[in-house]
Amino acid sequence: MENTQLPSTDTELKGFVQLLKREWLQALILIAPFVVIPFVWNSLPDYIPTHWNMRGHVNGYMGKFWGTFLLPLMNIVLALLPIFLPKIDPKKQIGSSMRVIRILRLTISGFLLILFMLTIEISLGKEIDMSLITNLGLPVLILVIGNYLPTVRPNYFIGVRVPWTLEDPENWRMTHKFTGKLYVISSVLVIPCMLLLPNYVKHYFFLTYLVIIVFPPMLYSYLFYRNSIKQL
């Protein structure tokens, strides 16, 4: 009886070691807030700032518990996505993009950890320009996404999911190739603007940047679709 269980145990142990090698940084990101919170809990105010306007002024609060734990809990949910996505994917296509999903998940988790740490610092009375952090953080995040986006295969969960990309693999491929370049170039251009321009100007640049990363990919996909119809 014992001999028949050893191979199974050995296989499980090897699987666990491989998981740790692959996910150790993700695990540290998830654990870090729960290590910090007990040390600062008694010093935190009853209401935690959770939202800032584009000028960096606080315009939203949450109670102490949710204001402290919301971002760490969001990170845990995000970390579990690679486990559940293949099971709920109706076409079973997401598996081919899991490596990219893990990289994007790690990047977003790191960003959320930074936001959590800064929120704690601000709650404890430290002066931090949160608008600069968010205005820089999003372009850096989009820059990373843009590097990997062209390698994402057709799926229902990540990418430019519009009717024309989901119905045509070639439309998906070309749209994501275009979008990846757009994300990288626009992010590289906007990051120096966020660092160097005065506040009253950088807001307009940031809004323009948001429009650029949202609408042109959809327009490109539609135009590719229209062109494909004309060639039939």
Side-chain angles (χ1 to χ4, degrees), residues 26-186:
Q26 180 72 58
L28 286 179
I29 290 174
L30 295 180
I31 293 170
F34 298 97
V35 174
V36 171
I37 289 172
F39 291 98
V40 300
W41 181 258
N42 291 334
S43 302
L44 292 174
D46 292 333
Y47 293 94
I48 306 296
T50 54
H51 194 272
W52 291 260
N53 61 26
M54 294 195 70
R55 298 185 182 279
H57 300 143
V58 179
N59 62 1
Y61 292 86
M62 280 187 176
K64 184 175 181 179
F65 178 84
W66 284 113
T68 304
F69 282 95
L70 180 61
L71 289 176
L73 293 176
M74 285 175 58
N75 248 347
I76 292 176
V77 173
L78 181 66
L80 295 176
L81 284 181
I83 299 175
F84 294 104
L85 288 184
K87 297 180 180 180
I88 63 176
D89 181 11
K91 290 191 176 182
K92 306 302 178 183
Q93 296 174 326
I94 194 68
S96 60
S97 301
M98 290 308 297
R99 177 179 174 273
V100 177
I101 290 175
R102 289 191 183 97
I103 293 172
L104 298 182
R105 179 196 60 176
L106 182 64
T107 305
I108 297 171
S109 290
F111 180 61
L112 291 179
L113 176 61
I114 292 172
L115 288 182
F116 165 79
M117 298 301 294
L118 293 175
T119 299
I120 295 299
E121 290 288 331
I122 292 171
S123 300
L124 294 175
K126 198 164 187 177
E127 292 290 332
I128 297 174
D129 185 357
M130 202 65 165
S131 66
L132 177 62
I133 303 300
T134 53
N135 289 349
L136 275 177
L138 181 62
V140 171
L141 182 62
I142 295 297
L143 177 63
V144 174
I145 292 174
N147 273 289
Y148 291 98
L149 200 58
T151 65
V152 176
R153 303 290 180 85
N155 68 90
Y156 291 111
F157 301 104
I158 63 170
V160 185
R161 302 177 312 280
V162 292
W164 315 291
T165 56
L166 293 174
E167 290 297 322
D168 179 9
E170 184 62 14
N171 190 311
W172 176 284
R173 186 181 72 83
M174 294 303 297
T175 298
H176 284 74
K177 184 178 179 181
F178 165 79
T179 305
K181 291 179 180 178
L182 177 69
Y183 280 10
V184 170
I185 293 172
S186 59

Side-chain angles (χ1 to χ4, degrees), residues 185-199:
I185 293 172
S186 59
S187 298
V188 167
L189 291 176
V190 81
I191 287 172
C193 296
M194 295 299 102
L195 289 171
L196 301 175
L197 293 177
N199 285 337

